[in-house]
Amino acid sequence: MRQQTDYTTAASSVSLGVEIEAGNTVGVWLMALLPLVAFIAFYAPFGALALPVTRTAELLVALAMLLLGLVCAAVDRRGLSRQGQSALPSVVWAILPLVYLIVRCVRVGPRSLAPLAVWVVLQSACVGALFVLLRSLFPAVLR
């Protein structure tokens, strides 16, 4: 006679060694990395490939970053809801990621300061890198 195994119980007890602390979600960490994604999205075509910078291109990159930020906020909100968090930040705040992350810190608590700190550091580094790497794009500013 064959012995039956309850695979759902076995699968739920398997740990991959990745534990997400309450208040942290994949969405908020993706949002924290958005400055790096924006830097790559802007620098790759206009710096590395030397494509001309047009208003349309700038708007497309900005729109893509806006939509990506909104998606990250929605994923974050869903993750917080699954963790039982009651005070959830609105996805609308993600129009300005810095504001979203600050509101999130206020609502979720100090345990969500790390994504905000990562965002601020990456944003500062990426803006500085753009000025250094793409001096020709900012001649009026650098004089």
Side-chain angles (χ1 to χ4, degrees):
M1 185 172 232
R2 292 176 79 183
Q3 182 181 4
Q4 290 185 339
T5 305
D6 184 6
Y7 290 107
T8 57
T9 306
S12 64
S13 66
V14 173
S15 174
L16 298 177
V18 177
E19 292 183 27
I20 296 178
E21 181 183 330
N24 284 324
T25 66
V26 172
V28 77
W29 284 106
L30 290 175
M31 182 173 280
L33 296 175
L34 276 180
L36 186 60
V37 173
F39 173 78
I40 293 168
F42 190 82
Y43 179 71
F46 306 122
L49 300 177
L51 296 176
V53 178
T54 63
R55 289 283 176 208
T56 304
E58 288 176 343
L59 288 173
L60 286 175
V61 170
L63 182 63
M65 292 302 105
L66 173 68
L67 292 175
L68 195 55
L70 290 171
V71 168
C72 289
V75 170
D76 178 47
R77 186 176 165 88
R78 188 177 198 188
L80 287 173
S81 177
R82 285 184 180 163
Q83 291 177 7
Q85 200 70 32
S86 60
L88 302 173
S90 173
V91 173
V92 175
W93 288 115
I95 292 172
L96 300 170
L98 178 61
V99 174
Y100 177 85
L101 291 170
I102 291 170
V103 169
R104 187 182 190 281
C105 284
V106 170
R107 301 232 173 126
V108 174
R111 64 182 175 259
S112 66
L113 280 172
L116 173 62
V118 168
W119 187 92
V120 169
V121 168
L122 284 177
Q123 185 69 27
S124 301
C126 290
V127 168
L130 278 176
F131 276 107
V132 170
L133 295 172
L134 302 176
R135 287 181 187 262
S136 61
L137 297 178
F138 308 103
V141 177
L142 297 174
R143 286 186 192 179

